């Protein structure tokens, strides 16, 4: 995945599968889903996110659904997508705010 970067999409896409999300990348984001970029989509209720990436052989689609709470941070911009750095995606996956340069607060399990 040389030169890959992470993109989020603000449209709610919780029912779409690989083919529909790949088409969404082309149509709404003007991006090539085969580029190696990692695309992050959030559900309308903000309780789950989907990650779509092509690894050279096929697509990976991962879903994370929170058992409690919501993914509170989501960029409010006029653009359909925004590049994120690797550590920002890691913070986002922990339901934190990737725009803050600090580790998220962890809760005991």
């Amino acid at each position: 995945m040389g030169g890959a970067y992470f993109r989020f999409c603000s449209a709610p896409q919780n029912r779409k599968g690989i083919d529909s999300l790949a088409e969404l990348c082309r149509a709404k984001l003007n991006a090539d889903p085969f580029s190696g970029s990692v695309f992050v989509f959030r559900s309308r209720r903000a309780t789950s996110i989907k990650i779509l990436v092509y690894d050279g052989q096929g697509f990976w689609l991962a879903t994370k659904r929170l058992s409690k709470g919501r993914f509170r941070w989501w960029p409010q911009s006029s653009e359909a997508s925004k590049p994120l750095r690797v550590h920002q995606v890691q913070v986002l996956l922990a339901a934190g705010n990737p725009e803050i340069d600090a580790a998220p607060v962890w809760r005991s399990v």
Side-chain angles (χ1 to χ4, degrees), residues 5-103:
Y5 67 99
F6 297 84
R7 302 179 81 160
F8 76 90
C9 180
S10 59
Q13 306 302 328
N14 56 336
R15 293 186 182 169
K16 295 188 183 277
I18 290 173
D19 295 332
S20 298
L21 290 173
E23 181 55 35
L24 180 71
C25 293
R26 282 189 213 94
K28 282 202 171 187
L29 303 177
N30 255 352
D32 180 10
F34 296 96
S35 67
S37 292
V38 176
F39 298 92
V40 182
F41 304 90
R42 188 187 73 172
S43 68
R44 180 180 315 246
R45 292 180 12 166
T47 57
S48 67
I49 57 174
K50 285 190 176 183
I51 300 171
L52 178 73
V53 65
Y54 184 77
D55 69 0
Q57 294 178 323
F59 282 101
W60 285 87
L61 181 62
T63 302
K64 179 171 184 177
R65 185 179 68 205
L66 297 177
S67 56
K68 290 184 179 179
R70 300 188 187 286
F71 290 97
R72 296 186 186 277
W73 180 86
W74 203 254
Q76 303 296 321
S77 68
S78 59
E79 298 178 11
S81 70
K82 174 183 178 180
L84 296 174
R85 296 185 305 257
V86 174
H87 78 276
Q88 289 177 306
V89 173
Q90 290 173 327
V91 171
L92 178 64
L93 290 174
N97 181 346
E99 291 180 340
I100 297 174
D101 288 331

